[in-house]
Amino acid sequence: MTGTSARSSTAIANLQRLCENELKGQYELEIVDVLQQPQRAEDEKILATPTLIKQLPLPLRRVIGDLSDKEKVLLGLAVHAQSPGAVIPPAA
Amino acid sequence: MAINAAHPAVQKLRTGISSLDIIAKGGLPKNRTTLISGTAGSGKTVFAVHFLAAGIELGEPGVFVTFEEAADDIRKNMRSFGWDLAQWEKDGKLAFVDASPDPHIDSVEAGGFDLGALVARVENAVRKVKATRVAVDSLGAVFSQFSDQAMVRSELFRISAALKAMGVTAVLTAERTDDHGPVARFGVEEFIADNVMILRNALEAETRRRTIEILKFRGCDHQKGEYPFTIVPHGGVIVIPLSAMQLSMKSSDVRISSGNPALDEMSGGGFFRDSVTLVSGATGTGKTLTVAQFLQGGVAEGEKCLLLAFEESRDQLVRNAKGWGFDFETMEREGLLKVVCDYPDVQGLEDWLVTIQAIIKDFKPKRVALDSLSALENVGTAKAFREFVIGLTSFIKHQEITGMFTSTTASLMGGDSITESHISTLTDSIILLRYVEMFGDMKRGLTVLKMRGSWHDKAIREFTIDKGGMQMGRAFRNVTGILSGSPVHVSPSDIERVWRQFDADVDRRQADSEAKKADS
């Protein structure tokens, strides 16, 4: 995310709500401000903000945007394990 | 920022690409962004890298933002131009912002976003190497990475504003779909339209011809129109600035020998030091001989001479020259002569011009002969050919080199060639070589048709070729119509009558003026 922009705040709020509801106690979240640490954006080759990177479990996935579309976020992260029998979508 | 009324107009940044600085009248507008637009393969990326490389050589660090090719590919590709990007990165003179699409990263769009991270990365890189130059390649590729085009457009605008705020001079490349259509795709010219340059790579008569055009520089001057350019290994982008070099030629009144005393006499004491002579004639009339004696004349005076031969092989040339009594091999061994033989078709005319200029700069000859222009004529379009001749002529004049070009006429008897009509105004002297048919014999004739700034013999003289080279004989007095290719014999009595008439006129005029003098 970038500084304290409205979009960044929305994204953080959306993500925290989603994690609490779907992955309670099973997640670790790090927030990086690319205005403060631009080199990390360089290393990760990030263009868009906000960007969510799922590092574990593999595969590595990225979701860009303010995460307002919950279904797309879950689909993108491939962590839709809550509803039983759900099929993990193959890599796009 | 307050605008100071006394502030000078837009400043220019000398790019270090010398030929570009000429057509840009000093360089690119400083602290501004310039859009470089061109079709695929028009040389945008090379141009962008050259802009940074030239800066680094001038001690100005740069940042390269790539949206298209991966940074590693660019590092590799640019090695052939002699630019070691990796070394410059190590030295802290160059930084990459690699924003090329990575096939290993899956990403999904979920909600609104902007390119804030990219802006932060560019700013970071500029700060890191203290860059004064930034190249962005290419804008079109950003659009293909994201679905929301309006967002990309406004974000690119933000980047260009950020670049301006950082005080860097930037070039941004953009694709266009055809060489003479809209400035660029995705309407990028709407937000960076201050300065626009267009690179073209047009297909004309089966040959590719690159041109560069400065469409506009807001608030400052530049040369107008398309200029040919070429991309060469270990040189990068080389623009051929025609109009810029044409009118600043020096003029020398030092005479040099043509290598043949009789021809020197006919041309009023020899050729001028910085003149270019065109030798025109049908095949076999003695053009290469004229060239050979011109070179011999130079070598005899200890001058370095260069021969660019596009018609004959080295062996043929050496053998023929030997037949005329000129020992090319010894001259070459002594380092006074350099013979360059090649097929004209191996490269385009722009490349030939650059190659020839490089040879001349390296060898530093006092005389240059090119045999023949006609062989090069078919390599490119008529326009490209004219530009080649202008470029070469003005280049050798600048170096105070005496030039001699040959051109082959299509018809055996008289007539003129396209080459001639294209370039006769560019050369200072023209020597015509003609076959003259007389009573079943083919004789050779030579005349000095034009010689700028000098008296010259107006007669058409007969010459023969033997082991000593060209032997000048008498003028053809009883033949008329040699130049038009239809010689007609005139009986000596007719000639006498014409001359007597002429003399009578002169006598009468003299008598008149004397009478007038007596009256007054």
mmCIF file of all heavy atoms in Angstrom, chain B residues 280-282 285 409 411-416 432-438 441-449 458-463 474-490:
data_model
loop_
_atom_site.group_PDB
_atom_site.id
_atom_site.type_symbol
_atom_site.label_atom_id
_atom_site.label_comp_id
_atom_site.label_asym_id
_atom_site.label_seq_id
_atom_site.Cartn_x
_atom_site.Cartn_y
_atom_site.Cartn_z
ATOM 1 N N SER B 280 31.673 11.540 -65.556
ATOM 2 C CA SER B 280 30.537 10.822 -66.105
ATOM 3 C C SER B 280 30.852 10.291 -67.491
ATOM 4 O O SER B 280 31.468 10.979 -68.308
ATOM 5 C CB SER B 280 29.341 11.785 -66.165
ATOM 6 O OG SER B 280 28.358 11.265 -67.022
ATOM 7 N N GLY B 281 30.440 9.078 -67.754
ATOM 8 C CA GLY B 281 30.671 8.528 -69.075
ATOM 9 C C GLY B 281 30.115 7.123 -69.190
ATOM 10 O O GLY B 281 29.785 6.493 -68.185
ATOM 11 N N ALA B 282 30.028 6.643 -70.406
ATOM 12 C CA ALA B 282 29.526 5.295 -70.631
ATOM 13 C C ALA B 282 30.578 4.287 -70.172
ATOM 14 O O ALA B 282 31.720 4.650 -69.889
ATOM 15 C CB ALA B 282 29.218 5.101 -72.103
ATOM 16 N N THR B 285 34.720 4.182 -71.048
ATOM 17 C CA THR B 285 35.241 5.437 -71.587
ATOM 18 C C THR B 285 36.462 5.927 -70.825
ATOM 19 O O THR B 285 37.102 6.888 -71.235
ATOM 20 C CB THR B 285 34.184 6.553 -71.575
ATOM 21 O OG1 THR B 285 33.480 6.506 -70.343
ATOM 22 C CG2 THR B 285 33.218 6.414 -72.730
ATOM 23 N N THR B 409 26.854 6.447 -67.566
ATOM 24 C CA THR B 409 25.675 6.789 -68.365
ATOM 25 C C THR B 409 25.126 5.516 -68.988
ATOM 26 O O THR B 409 25.879 4.589 -69.296
ATOM 27 C CB THR B 409 26.019 7.794 -69.469
ATOM 28 O OG1 THR B 409 27.182 7.331 -70.137
ATOM 29 C CG2 THR B 409 26.296 9.170 -68.905
ATOM 30 N N SER B 411 23.469 5.101 -71.926
ATOM 31 C CA SER B 411 23.670 4.855 -73.351
ATOM 32 C C SER B 411 25.148 4.988 -73.698
ATOM 33 O O SER B 411 25.893 5.735 -73.053
ATOM 34 C CB SER B 411 22.837 5.830 -74.176
ATOM 35 O OG SER B 411 23.375 7.116 -74.049
ATOM 36 N N LEU B 412 25.552 4.267 -74.706
ATOM 37 C CA LEU B 412 26.949 4.226 -75.086
ATOM 38 C C LEU B 412 27.410 5.568 -75.641
ATOM 39 O O LEU B 412 28.517 6.030 -75.382
ATOM 40 C CB LEU B 412 27.142 3.122 -76.138
ATOM 41 C CG LEU B 412 28.452 2.362 -76.082
ATOM 42 C CD1 LEU B 412 28.714 1.836 -74.692
ATOM 43 C CD2 LEU B 412 28.436 1.241 -77.093
ATOM 44 N N MET B 413 26.529 6.181 -76.422
ATOM 45 C CA MET B 413 26.899 7.428 -77.062
ATOM 46 C C MET B 413 26.138 8.567 -76.386
ATOM 47 O O MET B 413 24.920 8.645 -76.506
ATOM 48 C CB MET B 413 26.517 7.401 -78.541
ATOM 49 C CG MET B 413 27.055 6.212 -79.297
ATOM 50 S SD MET B 413 28.804 6.356 -79.650
ATOM 51 C CE MET B 413 28.767 7.611 -80.915
ATOM 52 N N GLY B 414 26.822 9.413 -75.680
ATOM 53 C CA GLY B 414 26.199 10.600 -75.116
ATOM 54 C C GLY B 414 25.093 10.285 -74.137
ATOM 55 O O GLY B 414 25.115 9.263 -73.455
ATOM 56 N N GLY B 415 24.115 11.162 -74.082
ATOM 57 C CA GLY B 415 23.020 10.992 -73.149
ATOM 58 C C GLY B 415 23.482 11.272 -71.741
ATOM 59 O O GLY B 415 24.669 11.425 -71.482
ATOM 60 N N ASP B 416 22.535 11.362 -70.816
ATOM 61 C CA ASP B 416 22.953 11.562 -69.429
ATOM 62 C C ASP B 416 22.308 10.505 -68.552
ATOM 63 O O ASP B 416 21.403 9.809 -68.972
ATOM 64 C CB ASP B 416 22.626 12.969 -68.922
ATOM 65 C CG ASP B 416 21.159 13.290 -68.987
ATOM 66 O OD1 ASP B 416 20.391 12.464 -69.567
ATOM 67 O OD2 ASP B 416 20.761 14.319 -68.481
ATOM 68 N N LEU B 432 33.127 15.138 -68.520
ATOM 69 C CA LEU B 432 32.387 14.179 -69.328
ATOM 70 C C LEU B 432 33.356 13.380 -70.180
ATOM 71 O O LEU B 432 34.284 13.925 -70.771
ATOM 72 C CB LEU B 432 31.412 14.908 -70.262
ATOM 73 C CG LEU B 432 30.216 15.600 -69.647
ATOM 74 C CD1 LEU B 432 29.341 16.150 -70.763
ATOM 75 C CD2 LEU B 432 29.416 14.643 -68.782
ATOM 76 N N LEU B 433 33.112 12.069 -70.208
ATOM 77 C CA LEU B 433 33.890 11.194 -71.084
ATOM 78 C C LEU B 433 32.912 10.620 -72.099
ATOM 79 O O LEU B 433 31.838 10.163 -71.726
ATOM 80 C CB LEU B 433 34.535 10.065 -70.276
ATOM 81 C CG LEU B 433 35.461 10.492 -69.142
ATOM 82 C CD1 LEU B 433 35.885 9.284 -68.336
ATOM 83 C CD2 LEU B 433 36.672 11.218 -69.689
ATOM 84 N N ARG B 434 33.262 10.688 -73.370
ATOM 85 C CA ARG B 434 32.334 10.253 -74.411
ATOM 86 C C ARG B 434 33.031 9.433 -75.485
ATOM 87 O O ARG B 434 34.198 9.662 -75.789
ATOM 88 C CB ARG B 434 31.688 11.479 -75.088
ATOM 89 C CG ARG B 434 30.703 12.223 -74.233
ATOM 90 C CD ARG B 434 29.409 11.433 -74.094
ATOM 91 N NE ARG B 434 28.406 12.187 -73.357
ATOM 92 C CZ ARG B 434 28.196 12.081 -72.052
ATOM 93 N NH1 ARG B 434 28.922 11.261 -71.333
ATOM 94 N NH2 ARG B 434 27.252 12.784 -71.469
ATOM 95 N N TYR B 435 32.265 8.518 -76.059
ATOM 96 C CA TYR B 435 32.730 7.844 -77.268
ATOM 97 C C TYR B 435 32.404 8.745 -78.449
ATOM 98 O O TYR B 435 31.338 9.354 -78.480
ATOM 99 C CB TYR B 435 31.997 6.518 -77.462
ATOM 100 C CG TYR B 435 32.479 5.416 -76.566
ATOM 101 C CD1 TYR B 435 31.619 4.816 -75.661
ATOM 102 C CD2 TYR B 435 33.786 4.952 -76.654
ATOM 103 C CE1 TYR B 435 32.046 3.787 -74.841
ATOM 104 C CE2 TYR B 435 34.223 3.927 -75.842
ATOM 105 C CZ TYR B 435 33.351 3.346 -74.932
ATOM 106 O OH TYR B 435 33.780 2.337 -74.146
ATOM 107 N N VAL B 436 33.311 8.836 -79.375
ATOM 108 C CA VAL B 436 33.056 9.608 -80.586
ATOM 109 C C VAL B 436 33.339 8.694 -81.763
ATOM 110 O O VAL B 436 34.438 8.153 -81.890
ATOM 111 C CB VAL B 436 33.971 10.850 -80.658
ATOM 112 C CG1 VAL B 436 33.637 11.663 -81.886
ATOM 113 C CG2 VAL B 436 33.835 11.677 -79.400
ATOM 114 N N GLU B 437 32.331 8.516 -82.598
ATOM 115 C CA GLU B 437 32.503 7.624 -83.735
ATOM 116 C C GLU B 437 32.981 8.438 -84.930
ATOM 117 O O GLU B 437 32.351 9.416 -85.318
ATOM 118 C CB GLU B 437 31.170 6.940 -84.053
ATOM 119 C CG GLU B 437 31.298 5.866 -85.098
ATOM 120 C CD GLU B 437 29.940 5.434 -85.628
ATOM 121 O OE1 GLU B 437 28.936 5.683 -84.943
ATOM 122 O OE2 GLU B 437 29.904 4.876 -86.727
ATOM 123 N N MET B 438 34.119 8.076 -85.474
ATOM 124 C CA MET B 438 34.658 8.811 -86.616
ATOM 125 C C MET B 438 35.141 7.856 -87.673
ATOM 126 O O MET B 438 36.100 7.120 -87.442
ATOM 127 C CB MET B 438 35.811 9.707 -86.176
ATOM 128 C CG MET B 438 35.355 11.024 -85.590
ATOM 129 S SD MET B 438 36.770 11.984 -85.100
ATOM 130 C CE MET B 438 37.187 12.726 -86.657
ATOM 131 N N ASP B 441 35.796 4.423 -86.653
ATOM 132 C CA ASP B 441 36.654 4.249 -85.474
ATOM 133 C C ASP B 441 35.948 4.808 -84.247
ATOM 134 O O ASP B 441 35.285 5.821 -84.328
ATOM 135 C CB ASP B 441 37.963 5.031 -85.650
ATOM 136 C CG ASP B 441 39.022 4.186 -86.334
ATOM 137 O OD1 ASP B 441 38.776 2.964 -86.473
ATOM 138 O OD2 ASP B 441 40.046 4.744 -86.722
ATOM 139 N N MET B 442 36.131 4.100 -83.110
ATOM 140 C CA MET B 442 35.636 4.636 -81.847
ATOM 141 C C MET B 442 36.769 5.410 -81.204
ATOM 142 O O MET B 442 37.816 4.852 -80.897
ATOM 143 C CB MET B 442 35.217 3.500 -80.905
ATOM 144 C CG MET B 442 33.761 3.149 -80.955
ATOM 145 S SD MET B 442 32.655 4.532 -80.701
ATOM 146 C CE MET B 442 31.151 3.626 -80.350
ATOM 147 N N LYS B 443 36.561 6.675 -81.027
ATOM 148 C CA LYS B 443 37.560 7.472 -80.335
ATOM 149 C C LYS B 443 36.967 7.923 -79.014
ATOM 150 O O LYS B 443 35.763 7.860 -78.823
ATOM 151 C CB LYS B 443 37.948 8.676 -81.185
ATOM 152 C CG LYS B 443 38.682 8.276 -82.454
ATOM 153 C CD LYS B 443 39.100 9.485 -83.225
ATOM 154 C CE LYS B 443 39.785 9.125 -84.533
ATOM 155 N NZ LYS B 443 40.968 8.263 -84.379
ATOM 156 N N ARG B 444 37.834 8.327 -78.123
ATOM 157 C CA ARG B 444 37.336 8.793 -76.832
ATOM 158 C C ARG B 444 37.521 10.301 -76.727
ATOM 159 O O ARG B 444 38.555 10.841 -77.125
ATOM 160 C CB ARG B 444 38.085 8.126 -75.686
ATOM 161 C CG ARG B 444 37.785 6.657 -75.531
ATOM 162 C CD ARG B 444 38.446 6.153 -74.269
ATOM 163 N NE ARG B 444 38.104 4.771 -73.997
ATOM 164 C CZ ARG B 444 38.828 3.740 -74.403
ATOM 165 N NH1 ARG B 444 39.893 3.943 -75.125
ATOM 166 N NH2 ARG B 444 38.456 2.515 -74.100
ATOM 167 N N GLY B 445 36.517 10.942 -76.173
ATOM 168 C CA GLY B 445 36.593 12.389 -75.992
ATOM 169 C C GLY B 445 36.407 12.763 -74.533
ATOM 170 O O GLY B 445 35.732 12.055 -73.775
ATOM 171 N N LEU B 446 37.032 13.858 -74.128
ATOM 172 C CA LEU B 446 36.901 14.333 -72.750
ATOM 173 C C LEU B 446 36.660 15.832 -72.769
ATOM 174 O O LEU B 446 37.278 16.561 -73.543
ATOM 175 C CB LEU B 446 38.193 14.017 -71.984
ATOM 176 C CG LEU B 446 38.306 14.483 -70.523
ATOM 177 C CD1 LEU B 446 39.212 13.511 -69.767
ATOM 178 C CD2 LEU B 446 38.853 15.893 -70.392
ATOM 179 N N THR B 447 35.742 16.276 -71.928
ATOM 180 C CA THR B 447 35.569 17.714 -71.793
ATOM 181 C C THR B 447 35.289 18.076 -70.340
ATOM 182 O O THR B 447 34.695 17.279 -69.610
ATOM 183 C CB THR B 447 34.445 18.249 -72.705
ATOM 184 O OG1 THR B 447 34.424 19.673 -72.622
ATOM 185 C CG2 THR B 447 33.070 17.729 -72.303
ATOM 186 N N VAL B 448 35.770 19.244 -69.958
ATOM 187 C CA VAL B 448 35.437 19.756 -68.624
ATOM 188 C C VAL B 448 34.167 20.574 -68.799
ATOM 189 O O VAL B 448 34.182 21.640 -69.386
ATOM 190 C CB VAL B 448 36.583 20.621 -68.061
ATOM 191 C CG1 VAL B 448 36.207 21.165 -66.685
ATOM 192 C CG2 VAL B 448 37.853 19.806 -67.973
ATOM 193 N N LEU B 449 33.059 20.021 -68.362
ATOM 194 C CA LEU B 449 31.766 20.650 -68.621
ATOM 195 C C LEU B 449 31.531 21.814 -67.683
ATOM 196 O O LEU B 449 30.976 22.834 -68.053
ATOM 197 C CB LEU B 449 30.662 19.601 -68.427
ATOM 198 C CG LEU B 449 29.263 20.020 -68.845
ATOM 199 C CD1 LEU B 449 29.196 20.176 -70.352
ATOM 200 C CD2 LEU B 449 28.234 19.002 -68.379
ATOM 201 N N LYS B 458 36.969 24.797 -72.851
ATOM 202 C CA LYS B 458 35.629 24.409 -73.283
ATOM 203 C C LYS B 458 35.670 23.354 -74.392
ATOM 204 O O LYS B 458 34.640 22.876 -74.829
ATOM 205 C CB LYS B 458 34.848 25.632 -73.787
ATOM 206 C CG LYS B 458 34.929 26.886 -72.918
ATOM 207 C CD LYS B 458 34.211 26.727 -71.605
ATOM 208 C CE LYS B 458 34.114 28.032 -70.820
ATOM 209 N NZ LYS B 458 35.418 28.539 -70.318
ATOM 210 N N ALA B 459 36.869 23.025 -74.865
ATOM 211 C CA ALA B 459 36.978 22.102 -75.998
ATOM 212 C C ALA B 459 36.718 20.661 -75.591
ATOM 213 O O ALA B 459 36.881 20.284 -74.426
ATOM 214 C CB ALA B 459 38.374 22.210 -76.601
ATOM 215 N N ILE B 460 36.265 19.871 -76.550
ATOM 216 C CA ILE B 460 36.182 18.427 -76.338
ATOM 217 C C ILE B 460 37.439 17.839 -76.949
ATOM 218 O O ILE B 460 37.684 17.970 -78.150
ATOM 219 C CB ILE B 460 34.937 17.831 -77.030
ATOM 220 C CG1 ILE B 460 33.666 18.525 -76.524
ATOM 221 C CG2 ILE B 460 34.878 16.329 -76.793
ATOM 222 C CD1 ILE B 460 32.407 18.102 -77.254
ATOM 223 N N ARG B 461 38.251 17.232 -76.078
ATOM 224 C CA ARG B 461 39.544 16.743 -76.567
ATOM 225 C C ARG B 461 39.541 15.235 -76.735
ATOM 226 O O ARG B 461 38.907 14.518 -75.972
ATOM 227 C CB ARG B 461 40.666 17.131 -75.596
ATOM 228 C CG ARG B 461 40.973 18.589 -75.625
ATOM 229 C CD ARG B 461 42.143 18.904 -74.721
ATOM 230 N NE ARG B 461 42.386 20.336 -74.756
ATOM 231 C CZ ARG B 461 43.167 20.920 -75.679
ATOM 232 N NH1 ARG B 461 43.768 20.187 -76.586
ATOM 233 N NH2 ARG B 461 43.334 22.223 -75.657
ATOM 234 N N GLU B 462 40.284 14.829 -77.736
ATOM 235 C CA GLU B 462 40.437 13.396 -77.945
ATOM 236 C C GLU B 462 41.522 12.890 -76.998
ATOM 237 O O GLU B 462 42.477 13.615 -76.715
ATOM 238 C CB GLU B 462 40.864 13.128 -79.388
ATOM 239 C CG GLU B 462 40.900 11.652 -79.697
ATOM 240 C CD GLU B 462 41.438 11.348 -81.088
ATOM 241 O OE1 GLU B 462 41.537 12.253 -81.922
ATOM 242 O OE2 GLU B 462 41.772 10.165 -81.304
ATOM 243 N N PHE B 463 41.324 11.684 -76.476
ATOM 244 C CA PHE B 463 42.416 11.106 -75.692
ATOM 245 C C PHE B 463 42.554 9.623 -75.998
ATOM 246 O O PHE B 463 41.603 8.975 -76.443
ATOM 247 C CB PHE B 463 42.238 11.357 -74.192
ATOM 248 C CG PHE B 463 41.133 10.581 -73.544
ATOM 249 C CD1 PHE B 463 41.390 9.331 -72.959
ATOM 250 C CD2 PHE B 463 39.845 11.072 -73.492
ATOM 251 C CE1 PHE B 463 40.375 8.617 -72.332
ATOM 252 C CE2 PHE B 463 38.823 10.355 -72.880
ATOM 253 C CZ PHE B 463 39.085 9.132 -72.307
ATOM 254 N N ARG B 474 44.339 16.256 -79.499
ATOM 255 C CA ARG B 474 43.790 17.523 -79.989
ATOM 256 C C ARG B 474 42.300 17.602 -79.701
ATOM 257 O O ARG B 474 41.643 16.624 -79.387
ATOM 258 C CB ARG B 474 44.014 17.622 -81.504
ATOM 259 C CG ARG B 474 45.500 17.712 -81.894
ATOM 260 C CD ARG B 474 45.632 17.908 -83.393
ATOM 261 N NE ARG B 474 44.833 16.956 -84.153
ATOM 262 C CZ ARG B 474 43.894 17.307 -85.029
ATOM 263 N NH1 ARG B 474 43.629 18.570 -85.265
ATOM 264 N NH2 ARG B 474 43.218 16.385 -85.689
ATOM 265 N N ALA B 475 41.755 18.797 -79.878
ATOM 266 C CA ALA B 475 40.309 18.958 -79.747
ATOM 267 C C ALA B 475 39.636 18.446 -81.015
ATOM 268 O O ALA B 475 40.222 18.488 -82.093
ATOM 269 C CB ALA B 475 39.985 20.428 -79.528
ATOM 270 N N PHE B 476 38.418 17.961 -80.863
ATOM 271 C CA PHE B 476 37.640 17.568 -82.047
ATOM 272 C C PHE B 476 37.126 18.846 -82.685
ATOM 273 O O PHE B 476 36.181 19.468 -82.182
ATOM 274 C CB PHE B 476 36.441 16.708 -81.634
ATOM 275 C CG PHE B 476 36.804 15.341 -81.152
ATOM 276 C CD1 PHE B 476 36.891 15.072 -79.792
ATOM 277 C CD2 PHE B 476 37.021 14.315 -82.051
ATOM 278 C CE1 PHE B 476 37.206 13.801 -79.344
ATOM 279 C CE2 PHE B 476 37.338 13.040 -81.608
ATOM 280 C CZ PHE B 476 37.430 12.782 -80.257
ATOM 281 N N ARG B 477 37.734 19.252 -83.805
ATOM 282 C CA ARG B 477 37.319 20.525 -84.394
ATOM 283 C C ARG B 477 36.308 20.335 -85.518
ATOM 284 O O ARG B 477 35.548 21.224 -85.826
ATOM 285 C CB ARG B 477 38.550 21.282 -84.930
ATOM 286 C CG ARG B 477 39.328 22.018 -83.853
ATOM 287 C CD ARG B 477 38.562 23.217 -83.298
ATOM 288 N NE ARG B 477 39.293 23.833 -82.197
ATOM 289 C CZ ARG B 477 38.736 24.238 -81.060
ATOM 290 N NH1 ARG B 477 37.435 24.080 -80.870
ATOM 291 N NH2 ARG B 477 39.449 24.805 -80.127
ATOM 292 N N ASN B 478 36.335 19.176 -86.131
ATOM 293 C CA ASN B 478 35.470 18.995 -87.284
ATOM 294 C C ASN B 478 34.299 18.046 -87.006
ATOM 295 O O ASN B 478 33.795 17.391 -87.881
ATOM 296 C CB ASN B 478 36.293 18.518 -88.488
ATOM 297 C CG ASN B 478 37.173 17.348 -88.099
ATOM 298 O OD1 ASN B 478 37.307 17.058 -86.896
ATOM 299 N ND2 ASN B 478 37.770 16.685 -89.071
ATOM 300 N N VAL B 479 33.935 17.951 -85.739
ATOM 301 C CA VAL B 479 32.788 17.113 -85.358
ATOM 302 C C VAL B 479 31.866 17.948 -84.482
ATOM 303 O O VAL B 479 32.328 18.726 -83.651
ATOM 304 C CB VAL B 479 33.226 15.870 -84.545
ATOM 305 C CG1 VAL B 479 32.074 14.899 -84.404
ATOM 306 C CG2 VAL B 479 34.419 15.210 -85.179
ATOM 307 N N THR B 480 30.593 17.803 -84.651
ATOM 308 C CA THR B 480 29.660 18.483 -83.764
ATOM 309 C C THR B 480 28.604 17.482 -83.292
ATOM 310 O O THR B 480 28.367 16.466 -83.946
ATOM 311 C CB THR B 480 29.006 19.715 -84.447
ATOM 312 O OG1 THR B 480 27.720 19.887 -83.920
ATOM 313 C CG2 THR B 480 28.899 19.557 -85.934
ATOM 314 N N GLY B 481 27.997 17.730 -82.147
ATOM 315 C CA GLY B 481 26.955 16.836 -81.638
ATOM 316 C C GLY B 481 27.495 15.671 -80.830
ATOM 317 O O GLY B 481 26.825 14.657 -80.681
ATOM 318 N N ILE B 482 28.702 15.802 -80.285
ATOM 319 C CA ILE B 482 29.294 14.697 -79.518
ATOM 320 C C ILE B 482 28.518 14.473 -78.214
ATOM 321 O O ILE B 482 28.165 13.354 -77.861
ATOM 322 C CB ILE B 482 30.779 14.978 -79.192
ATOM 323 C CG1 ILE B 482 31.593 15.008 -80.488
ATOM 324 C CG2 ILE B 482 31.341 13.931 -78.244
ATOM 325 C CD1 ILE B 482 33.016 15.464 -80.315
ATOM 326 N N LEU B 483 28.190 15.568 -77.543
ATOM 327 C CA LEU B 483 27.546 15.442 -76.239
ATOM 328 C C LEU B 483 26.151 14.871 -76.356
ATOM 329 O O LEU B 483 25.694 14.142 -75.487
ATOM 330 C CB LEU B 483 27.503 16.803 -75.533
ATOM 331 C CG LEU B 483 28.854 17.329 -75.055
ATOM 332 C CD1 LEU B 483 28.658 18.553 -74.209
ATOM 333 C CD2 LEU B 483 29.600 16.258 -74.280
ATOM 334 N N SER B 484 25.453 15.227 -77.430
ATOM 335 C CA SER B 484 24.094 14.709 -77.576
ATOM 336 C C SER B 484 24.115 13.265 -78.040
ATOM 337 O O SER B 484 23.088 12.606 -78.080
ATOM 338 C CB SER B 484 23.315 15.577 -78.562
ATOM 339 O OG SER B 484 23.954 15.516 -79.818
ATOM 340 N N GLY B 485 25.289 12.756 -78.386
ATOM 341 C CA GLY B 485 25.395 11.353 -78.739
ATOM 342 C C GLY B 485 25.233 11.095 -80.231
ATOM 343 O O GLY B 485 25.178 9.953 -80.655
ATOM 344 N N SER B 486 25.126 12.150 -81.037
ATOM 345 C CA SER B 486 25.029 11.937 -82.485
ATOM 346 C C SER B 486 26.044 12.820 -83.198
ATOM 347 O O SER B 486 25.711 13.884 -83.709
ATOM 348 C CB SER B 486 23.606 12.243 -82.968
ATOM 349 O OG SER B 486 23.183 13.474 -82.425
ATOM 350 N N PRO B 487 27.310 12.383 -83.189
ATOM 351 C CA PRO B 487 28.356 13.208 -83.791
ATOM 352 C C PRO B 487 28.131 13.355 -85.304
ATOM 353 O O PRO B 487 27.800 12.390 -85.985
ATOM 354 C CB PRO B 487 29.645 12.430 -83.519
ATOM 355 C CG PRO B 487 29.262 11.231 -82.726
ATOM 356 C CD PRO B 487 27.796 11.081 -82.727
ATOM 357 N N VAL B 488 28.275 14.567 -85.782
ATOM 358 C CA VAL B 488 28.148 14.828 -87.210
ATOM 359 C C VAL B 488 29.459 15.462 -87.671
ATOM 360 O O VAL B 488 29.969 16.360 -87.002
ATOM 361 C CB VAL B 488 26.955 15.791 -87.473
ATOM 362 C CG1 VAL B 488 26.903 16.171 -88.948
ATOM 363 C CG2 VAL B 488 25.653 15.153 -87.026
ATOM 364 N N HIS B 489 29.985 14.997 -88.788
ATOM 365 C CA HIS B 489 31.236 15.553 -89.283
ATOM 366 C C HIS B 489 30.961 16.778 -90.105
ATOM 367 O O HIS B 489 30.036 16.804 -90.903
ATOM 368 C CB HIS B 489 31.979 14.511 -90.121
ATOM 369 C CG HIS B 489 32.230 13.283 -89.328
ATOM 370 N ND1 HIS B 489 33.290 13.175 -88.481
ATOM 371 C CD2 HIS B 489 31.505 12.153 -89.205
ATOM 372 C CE1 HIS B 489 33.221 12.002 -87.880
ATOM 373 N NE2 HIS B 489 32.150 11.371 -88.303
ATOM 374 N N VAL B 490 31.751 17.773 -89.896
ATOM 375 C CA VAL B 490 31.583 19.018 -90.617
ATOM 376 C C VAL B 490 32.833 19.206 -91.460
ATOM 377 O O VAL B 490 33.948 19.005 -90.980
ATOM 378 C CB VAL B 490 31.432 20.188 -89.622
ATOM 379 C CG1 VAL B 490 31.046 21.461 -90.358
ATOM 380 C CG2 VAL B 490 30.420 19.847 -88.563
#
